Amino acid sequence: PPMLLMSVVENAIKHGLEPQAEGGTIRLEARRRGERVAVAVIDNGRGLGAKIGNGVGLTNLRGRLRALYADNGRFILEEQPPHGARATVEIPFDTDEK
């Protein structure tokens, strides 16, 4: 869906890389896993804090996934050792062209 990853990339910059004086790197990965597509935003920033992941942008993303895909859409936010975070959006793979 259009603009689905915007909040994820924005959070990686704002919460992960921006607080570091040296900056960092963001990497996007997209893979088909059987009947699903997984797109990950990975940063080497400061990692997850206690409140990260519960803001308006990611709450809206979770709601949008639920509205579009019910239980078939997932958002996973996890630490990326040794530092950084990985945010993954999984949705059903659609072979129908519209």
Side-chain angles (χ1 to χ4, degrees):
M3 305 301 286
L4 192 65
L5 294 176
M6 185 174 81
S7 292
V8 180
V9 173
E10 179 183 14
N11 278 357
I13 293 168
K14 182 177 180 180
H15 300 293
L17 303 184
E18 191 174 281
Q20 301 184 134
E22 69 275 12
T25 302
I26 294 176
R27 186 174 77 242
L28 299 176
E29 294 179 353
R31 290 196 168 89
R32 180 175 172 189
R33 297 177 181 164
E35 297 301 314
R36 304 181 68 71
V37 172
V39 180
V41 177
I42 304 138
D43 70 71
N44 64 353
R46 68 177 183 170
L48 302 177
K51 294 183 179 182
I52 294 184
N54 299 315
V56 173
L58 296 184
T59 298
N60 289 343
L61 181 140
R62 288 181 181 104
R64 189 165 175 213
L65 284 174
R66 212 173 12 262
L68 290 170
Y69 303 107
D71 292 334
N72 293 317
R74 284 185 241 165
F75 176 70
I76 304 155
L77 184 60
E78 56 197 346
E79 289 283 340
Q80 183 67 29
H83 50 85
R86 172 188 285 266
T88 305
V89 174
E90 287 188 5
I91 59 174
F93 180 73
D94 185 6
T95 58
D96 297 332
E97 291 190 32
K98 297 182 171 61

